[in-house]
Amino acid sequence: MDSQNSDVLTTDVIVIGGGPAGLSAALVLGRARRSVAVIDEGKPRNRVTHESHGFLTRDSISPNDFHQIAKEQILKYPSVSFESDVVSSVSGSDEKFSVAMESGRIIYSRKILFATGMKDVLPDIKGLTEVYGRSAFVCPFCDGWELRDRHISVIGTNKMGLHLVKMVSGWTKHITFLTNGSQFLATEDLIDLERHHVETCQDSIKQIDSIEGMVQRIIFKSDTTIDCEGIFFVPKLVQATPIPASLGCKMTDDNPFSTISTDPLGRTNVVGVYSAGDAATQSHQLIQAASSGAMAAAAIQLDLLDTEWSKAR
Ligand SMILES: Cc1cc2nc3c(=O)[nH]c(=O)nc-3n(C[C@H](O)[C@H](O)[C@H](O)COP(=O)(O)OP(=O)(O)OC[C@H]3O[C@@H](n4cnc5c(N)ncnc54)[C@H](O)[C@@H]3O)c2cc1C
């Protein structure tokens, strides 16, 4: 890593985001003897949960422990450093990017990897924040096992809700589908839900009652209630940062949410800019984010070697 003065660093790669995608990329790049700065705000998507599931050899690990172990292992490679900061802008082009942080610091790099993830925008329902990550979740692959055979409410205000009901039915047969006042269900949807013994309620939700994060009941504006032991809901997903789009990265359309377009190895349309993890795919799992981070790191290393190889005399 070149140090131009005490405040300015030039690295081979700046990884923006220190979730599983960014950490995995940093590990591969550190082992490839690249200088890497990982800049991370420290707000991974799953930080609300106590346990993460389904990552081989790490099933049920807490998000914090996952991060700590990864960081300890990566720091064995001395060319990798970590910055606890928020990136506010990225400018420049291949081989000479400049990354500005909220602290006022600027770091320069040859390549940029956006591993910035997505943000969940929760439906505006009183009491949902209190249960989110404890007994209300977004993905049955992640948290369905813990709620198996329980009485579950699925909340969705559009067709994605019907998809979620079908998914959740793999883990429990006790499902109530709540549209929270949205009237999008067609007669054939209602018949289909009934055929699968899914109760449906189209009233608006007044609030979710819980004790220490565990949902107890849902109260409707009509003052009727239903008891339930867990919730799955459809969140609205948005990019954690608009910086890739403002740098010229092509985005997919909003169906159901917009991601950064990349080739299979994480290269975006902007030369020298890569993306991995949730920000660049529609399917969101820790192991997949880590895998795509490793692939993007390989692409970065190959592209750096190509440049160096062609310049050598
Ligand atoms: C409630 C919940 C539970 C989940 N449970 C599981 C589970 O059990 N198993 C599973 O496999 N998956 C689970 N997931 C999905 C999993 O969390 C994501 O797939 C995974 O975190 C994506 O990794 P990532 O590295 O792409 O992004 P993230 O983990 O979200 O990390 C992105 C990082 O980038 C940082 N960042 C963003 N913008 C900036 C910026 N401008 N400057 C600096 N840093 C920035 C963020 O603060 C964050 O630290 C869950 C998701 C949710 C919402």
Side-chain angles (χ1 to χ4, degrees), residues 14-309:
I14 292 177
V15 175
I16 308 176
L23 291 169
S24 174
L27 177 62
V28 173
L29 287 164
R31 288 180 51 77
R33 312 188 67 185
R34 291 296 173 184
S35 57
V36 182
V38 181
I39 308 173
D40 185 32
E41 183 188 8
K43 290 184 181 164
R45 255 189 88 193
N46 62 343
R47 66 188 180 284
V48 291
T49 59
H50 290 230
E51 289 185 354
S52 297
H53 305 111
F55 196 111
L56 193 65
T57 78
R58 293 283 180 247
D59 193 32
S60 302
I61 193 169
S62 78
N64 199 38
D65 287 352
F66 182 93
H67 189 267
Q68 282 310 319
I69 294 169
K71 208 167 163 183
E72 272 165 36
Q73 294 188 349
I74 293 165
L75 284 173
K76 282 196 306 195
Y77 302 94
S79 60
V80 183
S81 66
F82 286 86
E83 308 278 340
S84 188
D85 213 327
V86 180
V87 170
S88 47
S89 68
V90 177
S91 54
S93 55
D94 192 32
E95 295 288 328
K96 41 184 184 305
F97 289 102
S98 110
V99 172
M101 293 174 258
E102 280 187 357
S103 62
R105 292 196 64 217
I106 295 177
I107 303 185
Y108 298 90
S109 74
R110 297 174 64 190
K111 307 285 182 197
I112 299 284
L113 172 63
F114 285 104
T116 37
M118 302 291 287
K119 276 189 183 155
D120 299 86
V121 181
L122 270 51
D124 184 16
I125 299 173
K126 192 175 171 203
L128 182 57
T129 314
E130 286 81 343
V131 292
Y132 181 43
R134 293 296 310 280
S135 57
F137 302 96
V138 293
C139 164
F141 283 104
C142 300
D143 300 291
W145 172 260
E146 285 63 35
L147 293 174
R148 64 195 182 281
D149 296 328
R150 303 283 181 85
H151 286 263
I152 299 300
S153 292
V154 173
I155 304 174
T157 54
N158 55 35
K159 293 275 180 188
M160 286 297 291
L162 289 173
H163 173 69
L164 187 56
V165 167
K166 194 199 286 182
M167 297 255 291
V168 171
S169 75
W171 283 267
T172 180
K173 299 299 172 206
H174 312 291
I175 302 174
T176 309
F177 182 42
L178 313 180
T179 68
N180 192 19
S182 176
Q183 304 293 323
F184 71 95
L185 291 173
T187 307
E188 57 267 29
D189 296 329
L190 291 165
I191 293 168
D192 197 40
L193 289 164
E194 202 178 327
R195 198 163 60 87
H196 290 93
H197 310 289
V198 174
E199 286 183 33
T200 305
C201 175
Q202 300 186 70
D203 288 356
S204 298
I205 298 169
K206 187 172 171 188
Q207 74 177 70
I208 295 167
D209 268 2
S210 60
I211 299 173
E212 292 178 359
M214 306 312 290
V215 58
Q216 306 292 310
R217 69 191 62 78
I218 296 180
I219 306 172
F220 297 93
K221 291 228 166 107
S222 57
D223 276 336
T224 53
T225 63
I226 56 162
D227 292 341
C228 81
E229 300 167 286
I231 293 172
F232 282 99
F233 66 94
V234 180
K236 183 178 169 212
L237 279 169
V238 295
Q239 289 285 323
T241 169
I243 298 172
S246 63
L247 199 59
C249 292
K250 195 168 165 242
M251 310 297 291
T252 65
D253 63 22
D254 281 342
N255 194 12
F257 50 85
S258 182
T259 61
I260 302 169
S261 292
T262 68
D263 76 2
L265 288 180
R267 294 182 183 95
T268 72
N269 59 305
V270 179
V271 179
V273 177
Y274 306 75
S275 183
D278 281 11
T281 174
Q282 299 264 349
S283 66
H284 296 163
Q285 292 275 289
L286 296 161
I287 203 155
Q288 206 167 325
S291 161
S292 68
M295 295 309 288
I300 291 169
Q301 170 71 344
L302 288 173
D303 293 347
L304 285 168
L305 285 173
D306 264 351
T307 305
E308 290 157 8
W309 194 265

